[in-house]
Amino acid sequence: MEDATRSLELGRRDTTDFLAVSFSSLDSVGHAFGPRSHEVQDALARIDRAIGRLLAMLDERVGRGNYVVAMSADHGVAPIPEQMAQGGASAGRMLSTEVVKTINDALATRFGPGAYVSSVSYTDVYFAPGVYARVRADPVAWHNVEGALAAMPGIARVLRSEEIAATTPTDDAVLRAARLSYFPGRSGDLVLVPRPYWILSSAAATHGTHYAYDARVPVIFYGAGVRAGRYWDRASPADVAPTLAALSGITMAVAEGRVLSSALAEPRRR
């Protein structure tokens, strides 16, 4: 970071410069050891020092008050389910092999023995070619699959791809969350919604649900044009780009997020 800032003369030219940095090591460490581990504490301490060095260098080269820093994250993380279970919570993990066997056994009662599931990628279930069309056309087959999955201890809901892909408005918060992550042609035929503190992975910890421990992340702004304080109005990482644009005097033609104007002292205009 420091080398790129110096070699490119960022912040010292008569223009607006943008530097994006991803501290990706924390993601790998969190998956492998869980959010409450000493390994995560060590990674956070090192990231904290790295950010401190970057800010100190910017203060020296660019000048305090002459730059803006925005920080956020793309997701949170679930605690290790075994640790939650030891504390008395309903928690656990299910492996993809268990999900595959459950669905294959459910369809065997209708179609006969066979390998009906192609793969399971975390919460996404992919049937073998042509199988899901048969399941959709057969209410008994779908009833068997849905019932078998719902009986698994860690499954809260089973969402079908056609209801996720639909564009009709819904008040279902879980379905709305699934729609935000759905990609036609790549997402699964079914999407499994785990119960709280259950994960469908052999990793120590993971993410990807609508629960607060996965979905809530901080959004932090620091520097020129930012009003110091803590703000409780709704915000999202999608708000980072339009807010930085407003601070830079740039009008975005299309923005997914919004300008966090309550945190801005004096929005600049060209």
Side-chain angles (χ1 to χ4, degrees), residues 36-265:
R36 301 174 181 173
S37 63
H38 291 297
E39 290 81 1
V40 161
Q41 292 179 34
D42 178 73
L44 286 170
R46 294 171 186 272
I47 291 171
D48 184 70
R49 288 198 294 268
I51 293 174
R53 290 195 304 270
L54 175 61
L55 296 180
M57 187 265 295
L58 291 175
D59 284 346
E60 177 185 349
R61 289 182 58 83
V62 180
R64 184 173 297 187
N66 293 328
Y67 62 88
V68 181
V69 175
M71 291 184 284
S72 191
D74 57 339
H75 56 74
V77 66
I80 294 178
E82 288 80 4
Q83 292 178 344
M84 296 299 294
Q86 289 175 358
S90 174
R93 69 176 69 240
M94 294 178 299
L95 302 181
S96 59
T97 51
E98 300 175 77
V99 175
V100 170
K101 184 178 186 306
T102 296
I103 296 175
N104 282 337
D105 290 348
L107 288 178
T109 63
R110 184 64 172 170
F111 299 150
Y116 297 103
V117 179
S118 175
S119 64
V120 175
S121 178
Y122 190 41
T123 58
D124 286 56
V125 177
Y126 300 84
F127 286 97
V131 171
Y132 187 52
R134 294 179 64 190
V135 172
R136 290 179 59 180
D138 189 324
V140 175
W142 168 243
H143 175 77
N144 291 352
V145 170
E146 184 181 36
L149 289 172
M152 298 185 76
I155 301 296
R157 289 179 62 178
V158 181
L159 301 177
R160 300 171 65 158
S161 55
E162 59 267 28
E163 63 180 323
I164 303 175
T167 57
T168 53
T170 178
D171 294 327
D172 187 332
V174 176
L175 180 57
R176 286 203 310 270
R179 286 178 173 180
L180 291 172
S181 298
Y182 183 75
F183 193 104
R186 294 186 186 178
S187 295
D189 299 307
L190 304 178
V191 172
L192 308 179
V193 181
R195 295 187 184 278
Y197 305 120
W198 282 79
I199 64 174
L200 283 74
S201 172
S202 59
T206 191
H207 50 85
T209 73
H210 64 289
Y211 299 118
Y213 52 74
D214 276 356
R216 292 193 64 185
V217 296
V219 177
I220 300 170
F221 284 88
Y222 163 86
V226 178
R227 193 198 318 270
R230 183 173 294 183
Y231 301 88
W232 298 103
D233 47 326
R234 191 173 182 85
S236 161
D239 301 330
V240 170
T243 303
L244 288 177
L247 285 166
S248 303
I250 298 170
T251 300
M252 297 182 68
V254 178
E256 183 177 338
R258 64 184 182 89
V259 177
L260 299 176
S261 55
S262 60
L264 302 186

